[in-house]
Amino acid sequence: MQIMQNEQSDRTMDIYMFICIHIVFFNVINCNPCEVKGTTANCRDRGLTKVPDDLPIDITTLNLIQNRIAVLPNYAFSRYKHLKELQLDKTGLTLIQKDAFYGMKQLSNLSLSKNKMDLSNSSSADIFKPLTSLLELDISENDNIPEVASISYPFFGYMKQLSKLSMDLLSERVFEQCGFGELVNLKAIYFNRCYIDHLTNKTFLHLTSTLEEVHFYNSKHITDIESNTLRPLVNLKVLRLYKFCSRLDLALKLLYPYENKSISMIEFTEVNPGICDGPLHFPSAVIVTQEMFKHLQKICIKELILMEDGIVDFEPKSILWYEFPECFESIILSKNRFPVANGFKTAELLMLTRKLVNLKYFDLSYNPLSYDNTESCTFNVNDSCYTTNHEHAEKLNNDWNIRNRTIYISLPPKLEKLRLSNFLQKIINNNLTVSIQNSSNLKYLDLSYFLYNSIPDLMFLHHSNVVFVNLTGIDSRLFVSRKHQPLLESARTVILKQTQLGRTIYKFGESTFQAIPNVTTLDISSNNIWYIPIKAFSANKQLSELIMTYNLFAEIPISLMSLSKLVHLHMEYNMLQTINQTMRTWLENQRIRNNGNFVLGLTGNVFKCDCDNSDFIRWMFETNVEFDNKKKKYKCRLKNRTISTTVRVHNEFHQLFSNCGSQYWLLVGIVLLSVFTVLTIPVAIIINFRWRIVYWIYREFKTVVQKRLKQDFCYEVYISYARDSGNWVKDSLVPKIENCWKMAVCVEDRDILAGGSFAEAIAVSMENSRNVIFVISDGFKERTWTSYEIERAKYEKYTGHLHHIIIITKQVSVDNIPTEFARFWKDVMFIEWPEEDSDFGWDKLKIALFQQDK
Ligand SMILES: *[C@@H]1O[C@H](CO)[C@@H](O)[C@H](O)[C@H]1NC(C)=O
Ligand SMILES: *[C@@H]1O[C@H](CO)[C@@H](O)[C@H](O)[C@H]1NC(C)=O
Ligand SMILES: *[C@@H]1O[C@H](CO)[C@@H](O)[C@H](O)[C@H]1NC(C)=O
Ligand SMILES: *[C@@H]1O[C@H](CO)[C@@H](O)[C@H](O)[C@H]1NC(C)=O
Ligand SMILES: *[C@@H]1O[C@H](CO)[C@@H](O)[C@H](O)[C@H]1NC(C)=O
Ligand SMILES: *[C@@H]1O[C@H](CO)[C@@H](O)[C@H](O)[C@H]1NC(C)=O
Ligand SMILES: *[C@@H]1O[C@H](CO)[C@@H](O)[C@H](O)[C@H]1NC(C)=O
Ligand SMILES: *[C@@H]1O[C@H](CO)[C@@H](O)[C@H](O)[C@H]1NC(C)=O
């Protein structure tokens, strides 16, 4: 009945589509009319070929982005006299007729970017005449670039109110001819594309001096820049160069007119000739000299950004040398590649940090550079260099306050935010500890992927007020093991992604999270965690949001029950198959305790949708606990192994679960099979019968049952082993299984293809294997993938895919057997391999492989 209804509605849809297409074709009405909300009309991407004339006349905002309106005819908007905002970007405009904007006296915002307009057409000269109230105009990224000789723009001088203009920089003559001098309210100009190759003293001569912001984006190769280019812009406060294809030293010449003046922001991002080499560009290496920085150093700058400029090194008195250091509030030098603390730089950096009395934000992220410091002085500059290493060291000791192998660094007193993410430098080649002093204002610290020769001991001397710490990518053992850490003690938000916490929790157990007593938001995703000790969170009473995505949890850890303030739990992308009654009750109570709020993230888990788990599915749709997926649509595996969704299962609940318990025939089959195996195997052992035949019979018989289960395996056996048992695996184990027993084997070095995600490849191979053998040797525990493979195997075993997990130990001490196995000891078969290769071991393995499931 339902199916018929569906078909019927499908047909109705088809008819509707058919009519629709015809109507569009004949341009009678539009199927997809504009959406009008209040006085805002949204006609974005409606396939319109002309300005609609049926909208309410009082609309003030009209969005026509991404349509196909090639020509704006005269009086196109005469109906909409109240329009304040009009967007015509990406509509394929080629021509605007002279009176197209007639009557738009109230328009304040017009954007025409990314079109193909021929603005040099003489009939367009007066198109802007009616727009007397316009404040913002965007005519940038216009693809129709005329020959330089004929470049012209309509007259801009009519728009006396204009304060923000975005355009392409085609020719300096435009400023002279098109009335730019009359734009007395113009504050900001954005050159979204620059096509000229020279910037001269005359280029901006005709721009108004009211300009406060100039932005250059995406320039063609600029080969020459004269120092007085920006001289006419006496009120400039913001200068931004972004993807500016020019030598850095040329671009820095632009700053000459601002010596001894104040500027709020100077940004030079991707200023490098390398950036015009197309998408795969390599910035050319720049060594900053004092000469290059001579103008920049003399400006009082609030915010300085020098990002991705290809800087690889600097000379004395350049990057760390300013005349007005007290002006800085923010310095961003990320994505370059220069060293900051060897030779003279240490002293300069130190001197500068003392003078940055107003600095609030410092960012030196993505500075990938690894070198071994020689601690020798390479530059000879009178007051900041030291001729011998010995003297140097002494001066350094005084400056850096090196006592007892600890460097005490004083942060600028007002510093609130410090980012040293992806900072890869070996600073000093010994065991110095870095200790940060004077940090009482520091609130935000990002040290993700900080690769130093060792992580600095972030022992803040007095006390810390840091609220946010990002330690992504740093080995968690380094900070968990420290006793006293004010930095982590005060933190409210702590990000510990990819910090190998799985291993750390194993080692430090319940004390792992004691270092962060005041945390409210904790991110421990991507850490291969499958287990958290029961009292692990006893010190984290304030925790309200816990992010545990991309781990290996098969259940919601019971240790969370001590977190009474928890209201948001992210369990996405784990291995949850169900949530049992205990945890469901806790979730319900938690919701009540927190005024009816509790959000649980479950996407990326595959739940079990069989008779055993029907009560969980029912709970999911009855509870008031909120889920990340509002429709509660999660993947779920039916008992015949088909993947379905929880929503479908819930809708068909009674059909699916009505015959729970009537699956006895399968049981009978399994019992028979067990009896068969139990009978045949001992017989076979006793007379050392031909294993292949036994296995063949066994397999054929088994496929009868398995056909019903629709299981396909590529491999019979997946073998996990460490390097030190590699020879035995390759020379004895694999040949025996493959050649003598004729079973397909998957071994990592041979069968798992390089490329892609290795974890994913392992997961797929294991899913496609009938059995898993772990060959445990002394090196096994230290292998990168050991924990992952064990967890995967356990998961496959529990989902019923895997038949046997067999562990072969080869002269291994008990300490080197991964403890992970302990948690499912009863599900594995354990073979202690005899010292000499005897038949005894092989027989045991045969039995183990061919035995029926427990
Ligand atoms: C541009 O101005 C600079 C600085 O005053 C001057 O040195 C240079 O000669 C000028 N260029 C031209 C072409 O006049
Ligand atoms: C900047 O000020 C210094 C000292 O006050 C002076 O010597 C220098 O000439 C000034 N520079 C400019 C470009 O005005
Ligand atoms: C250096 O350490 C020693 C003992 O470890 C201690 O006696 C001395 O006071 C320390 N010196 C400083 C300057 O902290
Ligand atoms: C660094 O410390 C380790 C052990 O703590 C020590 O073996 C090594 O010699 C030290 N290196 C230097 C340069 O002090
Ligand atoms: C933490 O650092 C990582 C790596 O730099 C970054 O991807 C992530 O967005 C940061 N997290 C937060 C919350 O800032
Ligand atoms: C953090 O918690 C500890 C108690 O564990 C407390 O003594 C300390 O004052 C707290 N710090 C902040 C900044 O709240
Ligand atoms: C329920 O699951 C938790 C972990 O999520 C487990 O610790 C507990 O033993 C389970 N309770 C029952 C009754 O199985
Ligand atoms: C598994 O069972 C579901 C519902 O009982 C059914 O819709 C689906 O077709 C079955 N899949 C297979 C492969 O038998």
Side-chain angles (χ1 to χ4, degrees), residues 268-530:
F268 281 47
T269 296
E270 291 190 65
V271 176
N272 194 294
I275 66 129
C276 24
D277 297 346
L280 267 180
H281 62 257
F282 296 97
S284 24
V286 178
I287 295 175
V288 172
T289 61
Q290 192 188 352
E291 173 69 17
M292 283 163 76
F293 262 48
K294 67 178 178 192
H295 308 311
L296 179 64
Q297 284 167 347
K298 293 185 191 132
I299 304 172
C300 166
I301 308 165
K302 235 190 208 169
E303 191 175 353
L304 175 65
I305 304 175
L306 296 173
M307 237 163 75
E308 277 190 284
D309 295 330
I311 302 173
V312 295
D313 207 349
F314 58 94
E315 291 183 359
K317 295 193 171 181
S318 58
I319 285 188
L320 300 176
W321 201 267
Y322 298 94
E323 263 179 36
F324 306 102
E326 68 281 2
C327 294
F328 286 113
E329 287 182 6
S330 160
I331 300 181
I332 300 175
L333 301 173
S334 55
K335 301 193 183 176
N336 289 297
R337 291 170 281 157
F338 57 82
V340 280
N342 68 336
F344 70 93
K345 292 170 186 137
T346 327
E348 276 195 9
L349 182 65
L350 194 84
M351 227 174 303
L352 181 63
T353 26
R354 286 210 200 105
K355 291 184 191 157
L356 294 168
V357 290
N358 289 308
L359 194 72
K360 295 208 175 81
Y361 178 37
F362 183 73
D363 187 342
L364 189 60
S365 307
Y366 297 93
N367 205 329
L369 186 101
S370 180
Y371 75 101
D372 290 318
N373 169 61
T374 50
E375 268 198 66
S376 67
C377 198
T378 41
F379 295 97
N380 273 309
V381 181
N382 37 23
D383 61 2
S384 63
C385 195
Y386 332 92
T387 41
T388 68
N389 276 352
H390 176 71
E391 266 180 50
H392 174 211
E394 245 174 37
K395 181 97 161 85
L396 201 69
N397 279 1
N398 292 335
D399 278 356
W400 281 74
N401 253 334
I402 300 184
R403 277 174 271 133
N404 289 355
R405 309 214 66 73
T406 303
I407 300 185
Y408 296 90
I409 297 182
S410 249
L411 294 181
K414 291 195 183 161
L415 195 71
E416 284 175 5
K417 195 169 166 184
L418 179 61
R419 266 195 86 207
L420 294 172
S421 148
N422 291 272
F423 180 90
L424 316 177
Q425 301 204 352
K426 285 190 177 169
I427 296 184
I428 291 166
N429 202 7
N430 56 25
N431 300 343
L432 280 183
T433 307
V434 177
S435 200
I436 298 176
Q437 286 178 306
N438 207 356
S439 63
S440 58
N441 281 309
L442 196 66
K443 297 273 183 317
Y444 175 107
L445 181 65
D446 184 349
L447 284 178
S448 52
Y449 300 105
F450 184 89
L451 269 186
Y452 183 68
N453 38 343
S454 75
I455 180 169
D457 189 339
L458 294 163
M459 191 172 64
F460 282 51
L461 278 192
H462 310 294
H463 72 287
S464 154
N465 290 319
V466 169
V467 186
F468 175 98
V469 200
N470 190 345
L471 296 174
T472 301
I474 293 179
D475 190 338
S476 48
R477 281 177 304 184
L478 289 168
F479 42 84
V480 168
S481 59
R482 305 254 163 87
K483 282 277 167 300
H484 183 60
Q485 295 202 64
L487 165 70
L488 292 175
E489 258 169 40
S490 65
R492 302 289 158 117
T493 301
V494 179
I495 316 287
L496 300 177
K497 259 165 118 165
Q498 294 179 7
T499 53
Q500 303 177 7
L501 260 179
R503 232 175 44 189
T504 307
I505 289 175
Y506 235 90
K507 189 151 172 226
F508 292 91
E510 289 171 359
S511 67
T512 311
F513 298 111
Q514 277 173 12
I516 41 173
N518 296 310
V519 71
T520 57
T521 301
L522 177 62
D523 184 345
I524 53 170
S525 50
S526 306
N527 270 308
N528 284 344
I529 313 174
W530 61 90

Side-chain angles (χ1 to χ4, degrees), residues 201 226-228 256:
N201 291 355
E226 288 179 5
S227 320
N228 265 335
Y256 169 61

Side-chain angles (χ1 to χ4, degrees), residues 98-107 126-134 158-159:
K98 186 169 164 288
D99 290 319
F101 297 125
Y102 177 84
M104 303 185 82
K105 283 207 173 59
Q106 303 201 19
L107 197 67
D126 286 335
I127 54 173
F128 295 137
K129 198 169 181 177
L131 306 177
T132 47
S133 306
L134 205 67
Y158 300 119
M159 300 177 282

Side-chain angles (χ1 to χ4, degrees), residues 537-548:
F537 290 116
S538 53
N540 313 94
K541 293 287 175 234
Q542 305 300 319
L543 195 60
S544 67
E545 181 170 9
L546 180 58
I547 304 165
M548 309 211 286

Side-chain angles (χ1 to χ4, degrees), residues 135-149:
L135 299 174
E136 293 188 14
L137 173 66
D138 185 351
I139 50 166
S140 65
E141 296 184 56
N142 197 15
D143 274 343
N144 192 354
I145 301 152
E147 290 298 309
V148 176

Side-chain angles (χ1 to χ4, degrees), residues 720-736:
S720 163
Y721 63 97
R723 290 255 165 267
D724 53 351
S725 51
N727 286 342
W728 180 75
V729 169
K730 279 182 201 125
D731 301 340
S732 307
L733 184 63
V734 172
K736 187 87 174 179

